[in-house]
Amino acid sequence: MVAQQFEGVLERHHCLRIEALNEPFDPHRHEAVSQQPSNEYAANTVLMVTQTGYQLHDRVVRPSQVIVSAEAPE
C-alpha cells in the first residue's frame, strides 16, 4: 500500500516509470546490463527489466537496467 501511495506522489509530480519490457532498446532510456540470445524476439529487444527507470517530464532521472535480446547462434 505504501508503494502504491509513493507511485501516486511521483505521478502527481510528473515523474513517470519508463516502460521497457518488449520495447526496442533505446540507449537514451535504457542501460543494457546483459545480452541473451533469443529465437522468439528480434535483436535489440528488451527481454527483462532488472531495475525500473524513471523520467521527470522529458528528462531521464534513472535509466531502466535491462537484458537485451541478441541474434541466436546458427
Side-chain angles (χ1 to χ4, degrees):
M1 186 161 61
V2 173
Q4 290 175 345
Q5 289 176 344
F6 184 67
E7 289 278 332
V9 169
L10 290 176
E11 286 179 14
R12 281 193 298 257
H13 293 287
H14 306 286
C15 187
L16 302 175
R17 171 181 266 179
I18 296 173
E19 298 298 330
L21 191 60
N22 298 329
E23 296 289 324
F25 176 73
D26 180 3
H28 300 289
R29 297 176 19 171
H30 307 135
E31 179 182 348
V33 295
S34 179
Q35 279 190 328
Q36 183 175 348
S38 174
N39 290 326
E40 298 176 27
Y41 296 97
N44 294 324
T45 301
V46 175
L47 297 177
M48 183 186 301
V49 178
T50 58
Q51 186 176 37
T52 304
Y54 292 92
Q55 67 182 34
L56 182 62
H57 299 285
D58 293 333
R59 184 176 180 195
V60 175
V61 177
R62 180 174 78 180
S64 296
Q65 291 184 349
V66 298
I67 296 175
V68 181
S69 66
E71 292 184 20
E74 299 284 327

